[in-house]
Amino acid sequence: MAAVGRLPSAAVALLLALLCLAGTSAATNVTYDHRALVIDGVRRVLVSGSIHYPRSTPDMWPGLMQKAKDGGLDMVETYVFWDVHEPVRGQYDFEGRNDLVRFVKAAADAGLYVHLRIGPYVCAEWNYGGFPLWLHFIPGIKFRTDNEPFKTEMQRFTEKVVATMKGAGLYASQGGPIILSQIENEYGNIDWQYGDAGKSYMRWAAGMAVALDTGVPWVMCQQADAPAPLINTCNGFYCDQFTPSLPSSPKLWTENWSGWFLSFGGAVPYRPTEDLAFAVARFYQRGGTLQNYYMYHGGTNFGRSSGGPFISTSYDYDAPIDEYGLVRQPKWGHLRDVHKAIKMCEPALIATNPSYMSLGQNAEAHVYRAGSLCAAFLANMDEQSDKTVTFNGKAYKLPAWSVSVLPDCKNVVLNTAQINSQVASTQMRNLGFRTQASDGSSVETELASSTWSYAVEPVGITKENAMTKPGLMEQINTTADASDFLWYSTSVVIKGGELYLNGSQSNLLVNSLGHVLQVFINGKFAGSSKGNASSSLISLTTPVTLVPGKNKIDLLSATVGLTNYGAFFDLVGAGITGPVKLTGPKGMLDLSSADWTYQIGLRGEDLHLYNPSEASPEWVSDNSYPTNYPLTWYKSKFTAPAGDDPVAIDFTGMGKGEAWVNGQSIGRYWPTNISPQSGCVNSCNYRGTYSAKKCLKKCGQPSQILYHVPRSFLQPGSNDIVLFEQFGGDPSKISFTTKQTESVCAHVSEDHPDQIDSWISPQQKLQRSGPALRLECPKEGQVISSIKFASFGTPSGTCGSYSHGECSSSQALAVAQEACVGVSSCSLPVSAKNFGDPCRGVTKSLVVEAACS
């Protein structure tokens, strides 16, 4: 320090600052072997979860990261979305929801590592797979193959992302949180369709990535022939049977699908907690090193970002953290307990390979033994029958389709089918629609006509830049996805006595690649049709009324997200490609080759009617406004719901369109798209192999009726809402809702393991007394205000609808009230010593439902 003292004071300050900085961001060395990721020499088994930054908001990120950390995650995983970062070639956007640096730093602030999946193809049910549309128009380009124009653009963007991360010091080699990166995405699923050029492209991509010198390992998911040093990884509902292609690579699971995505027109998929926990435990049982939930928080497809086509605006994915940022119980809590159990086994898991032991038909054990370390996993793969197995001379009960975790090869700390975590019963509280009175106060209204202004979107061609060409043009090549909408307009002249003059006896046939079609004859609506997630193709035959002389035919084609998956997905078209025919009792007229005039987008889009800060004379403020009328814009003001509960809009009464709050698009709405009447189950059995169609709910109902409005979109006082209604609706029927927890519940039996935390804390180990039911209020500052239900014996039902069984203790309610009311959390031993024994010789359960305030 004496030498430092001779420097000028400014130099001393600079040196000390540099020394401080170096001390807080020391480089981390990340390597791997076949059993572990090695981080600064420490061998690790990790748990990760996907959170996509554009599907939430910067204000949400710290809370999401903390919930991920509290849920037992070591790392978050995200794609990098090329289209949002480079909407125009060479013009970059890393601001707001696209602020990738801020997102990665939020993960680091919560003590989480990051896996950066650059791709840059992402799939992700994202529009065009995450590729910007301008890429499609580069001369000579062919996507995802050995094509120089594509490789040039892919490398340029990948280098931009890596440089951005390096510039912020975010790679582990710089002291940052990024410990893994991914290049390409699920290419092995379809590379055979590209032939030898696909294989050479894959090898090029791997070499290009490694040459970027990030200092962290690279992975390729679903790529069995990924060249060293890249690690090939698994995606799927189950990956326990996956084996890396290289013996030196660890077993990584980049996508454990925690649920499934929702499509407009589809029922809502969900994945039982017990099955997801089973899949996780089986993966680590059979040598897994890292597994990642896809998704841990799904979020929202704001704007026109959803892909598919027909992917819904909600990307909830039945994830452990729901679309609104609230933990989904019991999934979040039970998986947290699974993670704790895995971490208790970690010293043994990283030390050796598992040894296999049969425990009978459909039952097996895997044991990790190294010196004094021993951890075991006992699995019952039977889809129906519970089993009692013998392991190390001791009997263990294994429910069907479950894994028991024994960190010491003796004691069961967790069984995947026995949930100790609490359940939350939530509700969407309808708040109506709050507007501002003349004195500035907030007033709830049923949306009287005086609260809405409107503007009518004109039918057909209104723009000067419209173009006329013979024949029918494919939509995406015409619009470059600048808008969902493309007008096709032509006319036909009917002379007296011609076959088409017979009014209702004339029909118009229109064939389209999709996704939505509306027909207008002489400015009047004449029919519509839509595709679906299984097939976007449309074949519409609609009766039309023609008049003598000139008849105008206007066809409005609309996309609902562009295709995001499959070989050559970029070549999948949309729009009206024909034929288009007029038919009558005396013949047919093919209009497919006629002159058609094309208009990209809506007039209201060009006028920015969605932006309330831009005044427009188009808006009409009358005492009444048109309802159930197609192509109508609506605008109103409202007061944001009080408090901090998540906000959504219930679009009951509307048809299909897009909504903006204070100029920010909350996405496409489509409450009239109803799911099939069949295919749902009242209660989905978690036992047995899960698939995307196994567990469905809300059959015969709108696929999505609630649309998330992030709190950061709202402002104090007056807020603006703008709707564009394509089909026709009544905005007086929409309402704001807030998501609130109605009850917290738990159901624990005498057969359940002890609470996982009782095995972790040395102090609690001494106090362990068997299984316990634990309840905790979801919000800080809340306490349990009442016990709605309590039963010890043989209760049944679900949270919010429990009932007593034939066997029931009379003391249960009083005991629960004494222990829980007035405190934020409580724990009740599940024991006859606590409640009395209402039925000897019967395995009993404790159920409690509580309200918090």
Side-chain angles (χ1 to χ4, degrees):
M1 290 303 294
V4 172
R6 292 194 294 270
L7 294 172
S9 58
V12 172
L14 176 60
L15 178 59
L16 289 175
L18 291 172
L19 289 172
C20 180
L21 180 63
T24 58
S25 57
T28 300
N29 184 41
V30 183
T31 59
Y32 59 85
D33 58 29
H34 77 289
R35 278 300 303 126
L37 287 168
V38 185
I39 304 174
D40 266 353
V42 179
R43 300 163 58 75
R44 297 295 309 275
V45 168
L46 300 178
V47 181
S48 175
S50 290
I51 301 174
H52 294 161
Y53 52 99
R55 284 174 158 144
S56 51
T57 65
D59 285 359
M60 295 173 67
W61 294 342
L64 294 174
M65 298 300 179
Q66 192 58 53
K67 290 180 176 72
K69 184 70 173 179
D70 293 344
L73 266 57
D74 303 295
M75 182 165 71
V76 295
E77 182 180 287
T78 185
Y79 283 123
V80 178
F81 297 82
W82 190 354
D83 62 327
V84 304
H85 291 304
E86 195 177 7
V88 177
R89 190 174 186 273
Q91 297 181 20
Y92 297 101
D93 180 359
F94 286 89
E95 303 296 327
R97 292 202 312 275
N98 305 331
D99 193 340
L100 181 57
V101 168
R102 180 176 174 183
F103 178 82
V104 173
K105 287 182 176 180
D109 290 344
L112 295 163
Y113 296 121
V114 172
H115 179 189
L116 194 67
R117 306 177 76 189
I118 298 177
Y121 164 72
V122 300
C123 182
E125 292 72 58
W126 191 266
N127 193 58
Y128 213 49
F131 284 155
L133 259 293
W134 55 258
L135 196 66
H136 175 75
F137 296 95
I138 290 177
I141 199 165
K142 294 181 180 179
F143 287 10
R144 303 178 76 197
T145 189
D146 195 356
N147 171 266
E148 290 304 319
F150 178 75
K151 291 192 297 181
T152 297
E153 294 302 321
M154 175 176 168
Q155 180 168 348
R156 183 180 57 80
F157 179 71
T158 303
E159 289 174 344
K160 173 67 176 179
V161 174
V162 170
T164 301
M165 297 300 101
K166 284 184 176 181
L170 295 178
Y171 281 104
S173 55
Q174 303 171 289
I178 302 173
I179 63 170
L180 289 174
S181 283
Q182 177 179 303
I183 196 72
E184 250 298 334
N185 186 49
E186 295 185 329
Y187 191 63
N189 293 349
I190 49 93
D191 60 2
W192 62 271
Q193 298 187 60
Y194 294 89
D196 291 342
K199 293 299 183 183
S200 59
Y201 159 70
M202 181 272 295
R203 291 189 294 270
W204 168 85
M208 181 269 288
V210 172
L212 294 175
D213 192 26
T214 62
V216 302
W218 285 86
V219 308
M220 273 187 168
C221 67
Q222 296 293 94
Q223 194 70 50
D225 56 352
L230 274 74
I231 306 169
N232 73 303
T233 70
C234 182
N235 293 352
F237 290 118
Y238 307 94
C239 281
D240 52 286
Q241 298 185 28
F242 167 73
T243 300
S245 56
L246 299 175
S248 59
S249 294
K251 182 172 175 174
L252 308 184
W253 189 1
T254 35
E255 291 188 16
N256 177 4
W257 300 325
S258 57
W260 200 241
F261 56 83
L262 173 66
S263 296
F264 284 125
V268 178
Y270 63 99
R271 187 176 185 185
T273 297
E274 298 93 332
D275 175 69
L276 182 55
F278 173 78
V280 172
R282 286 287 286 164
F283 178 72
Y284 290 107
Q285 174 177 1
R286 301 186 60 176
T289 295
L290 161 70
Q291 78 90 33
N292 174 82
Y293 298 101
Y294 187 99
M295 302 291 297
Y296 198 72
H297 164 72
T300 305
N301 291 318
F302 298 111
R304 300 170 52 241
S305 61
S306 63
F310 297 98
I311 298 297
S312 66
T313 299
S314 171
Y315 200 67
D316 181 83
Y317 223 90
D318 197 38
I321 303 175
D322 72 12
E323 177 180 3
Y324 303 95
L326 303 178
V327 296
R328 171 174 276 113
Q329 297 286 28
K331 185 171 280 189
W332 181 89
H334 189 48
L335 294 176
R336 173 201 57 197
D337 291 350
V338 172
H339 306 154
K340 289 179 178 180
I342 299 299
K343 292 299 182 180
M344 293 171 70
C345 300
E346 186 176 20
L349 298 183
I350 61 174
T352 186
N353 295 318
S355 60
Y356 166 83
M357 179 187 304
S358 174
L359 300 177
Q361 186 177 7
N362 290 328
E364 63 187 29
H366 287 76
V367 181
Y368 294 81
R369 190 185 301 275
S372 61
L373 298 172
C374 188
F377 295 78
L378 313 183
N380 178 6
M381 293 89 73
D382 197 292
E383 299 183 8
Q384 296 181 340
S385 301
D386 298 347
K387 296 180 184 293
T388 299
V389 301
T390 300
F391 174 71
N392 284 351
K394 184 178 177 181
Y396 294 88
K397 293 181 179 179
L398 292 177
W401 203 254
S402 77
V403 176
S404 284
V405 183
L406 293 69
D408 58 1
C409 287
K410 298 176 184 178
N411 295 291
V412 175
V413 302
L414 179 135
N415 179 273
T416 58
Q418 295 177 321
I419 298 176
N420 282 336
S421 175
Q422 71 182 25
V423 181
S425 174
T426 60
Q427 66 166 345
M428 299 302 294
R429 184 185 172 206
N430 193 308
L431 303 177
F433 191 89
R434 303 186 68 84
T435 61
Q436 282 196 312
S438 57
D439 61 0
S441 62
S442 177
V443 178
E444 188 167 317
T445 173
E446 292 299 321
L447 291 189
S449 58
S450 59
T451 65
W452 287 98
S453 301
Y454 71 93
V456 175
E457 178 69 29
V459 171
I461 308 302
T462 57
K463 299 183 184 181
E464 293 182 359
N465 61 355
M467 53 187 171
T468 300
K469 293 188 176 182
L472 296 162
M473 297 172 60
E474 190 276 329
Q475 183 164 348
I476 300 170
N477 281 299
T478 305
T479 66
D481 199 39
S483 169
D484 281 355
F485 301 99
L486 178 64
W487 280 106
Y488 295 70
S489 183
T490 192
S491 60
V492 58
V493 176
I494 301 298
K495 298 177 182 178
E498 280 193 300
L499 58 134
Y500 316 105
L501 190 56
N502 296 310
S504 62
Q505 296 182 39
S506 299
N507 291 287
L508 182 68
L509 167 68
V510 184
N511 283 333
S512 170
L513 298 177
H515 310 146
V516 177
L517 170 67
Q518 289 170 287
V519 175
F520 298 84
I521 302 295
N522 295 322
K524 295 182 179 180
F525 176 72
S528 66
S529 188
K530 60 180 173 59
N532 56 57
S534 299
S535 174
S536 62
L537 300 180
I538 295 170
S539 183
L540 171 67
T541 300
T542 186
V544 295
T545 300
L546 303 176
V547 297
K550 185 177 181 180
N551 290 262
K552 185 181 176 186
I553 300 174
D554 293 302
L555 309 178
L556 181 60
S557 178
T559 53
V560 190
L562 304 188
T563 303
N564 57 261
Y565 182 74
F568 312 106
F569 77 89
D570 52 301
L571 303 180
V572 176
I576 302 163
T577 53
V580 176
K581 298 178 181 179
L582 271 173
T583 63
K586 298 180 182 179
M588 177 272 295
L589 176 63
D590 193 335
L591 301 174
S592 306
S593 300
D595 284 346
W596 289 85
T597 301
Y598 297 89
Q599 175 181 299
I600 299 170
L602 306 173
R603 186 166 183 267
E605 290 176 313
D606 280 7
L607 295 174
H608 298 167
L609 294 185
Y610 51 83
N611 187 348
S613 64
E614 296 186 24
S616 172
E618 301 292 316
W619 291 110
V620 179
S621 299
D622 287 342
N623 291 331
S624 62
Y625 54 89
T627 60
N628 302 312
Y629 191 83
L631 309 185
T632 306
W633 295 81
Y634 298 99
K635 180 175 71 170
S636 188
K637 292 186 176 293
F638 67 95
T639 301
D644 59 0
D645 292 320
V647 178
I649 299 177
D650 183 333
F651 273 93
T652 296
M654 300 303 290
K656 173 189 176 294
E658 188 173 354
W660 295 261
V661 171
N662 293 325
Q664 299 194 70
S665 175
I666 65 170
R668 301 181 182 96
Y669 65 83
W670 201 350
T672 54
N673 208 334
I674 308 299
S675 65
Q677 293 291 333
S678 61
C680 293
V681 291
N682 292 329
S683 178
C684 186
N685 187 350
Y686 73 86
R687 300 169 182 86
T689 303
Y690 180 79
S691 67
K693 295 184 179 180
K694 179 181 179 181
C695 304
L696 300 173
K697 58 185 178 181
K698 296 190 176 179
C699 283
Q701 301 179 45
S703 299
Q704 184 180 353
I705 203 163
L706 297 169
Y707 295 78
H708 182 207
V709 182
R711 282 282 179 179
S712 61
F713 283 19
L714 302 172
Q715 58 195 24
S718 179
N719 292 262
D720 293 283
I721 181 171
V722 176
L723 314 176
F724 171 68
E725 174 54 51
Q726 183 180 352
F727 289 168
D730 184 352
S732 71
K733 295 182 179 179
I734 73 169
S735 59
F736 280 85
T737 65
T738 56
K739 188 167 189 179
Q740 301 175 346
T741 299
E742 204 170 31
S743 300
V744 291
C745 310
H747 186 169
V748 179
S749 81
E750 293 176 310
D751 276 349
H752 278 208
D754 293 9
Q755 288 283 342
I756 188 75
D757 288 341
S758 70
W759 297 92
I760 298 172
S761 165
Q763 181 179 0
Q764 288 180 311
K765 285 182 180 179
L766 299 176
Q767 302 173 355
R768 193 182 306 127
S769 58
L773 180 149
R774 178 175 170 81
L775 294 175
E776 183 175 6
C777 290
K779 282 188 173 183
E780 187 175 348
Q782 287 185 326
V783 297
I784 296 172
S785 55
S786 66
I787 302 298
K788 295 183 174 182
F789 182 89
S791 181
F792 179 72
T794 56
S796 61
T798 58
C799 188
S801 59
Y802 289 122
S803 60
H804 296 282
E806 294 182 2
C807 159
S808 181
S809 167
S810 60
Q811 304 175 41
L813 181 61
V815 171
Q817 289 173 330
E818 176 67 23
C820 297
V821 173
V823 296
S824 61
S825 65
C826 61
S827 183
L828 294 164
V830 182
S831 168
K833 293 181 180 179
N834 205 29
F835 298 97
D837 193 340
C839 43
R840 296 185 182 278
V842 175
T843 301
K844 290 167 282 294
S845 296
L846 174 63
V847 162
V848 179
E849 178 181 356
C852 293
S853 61

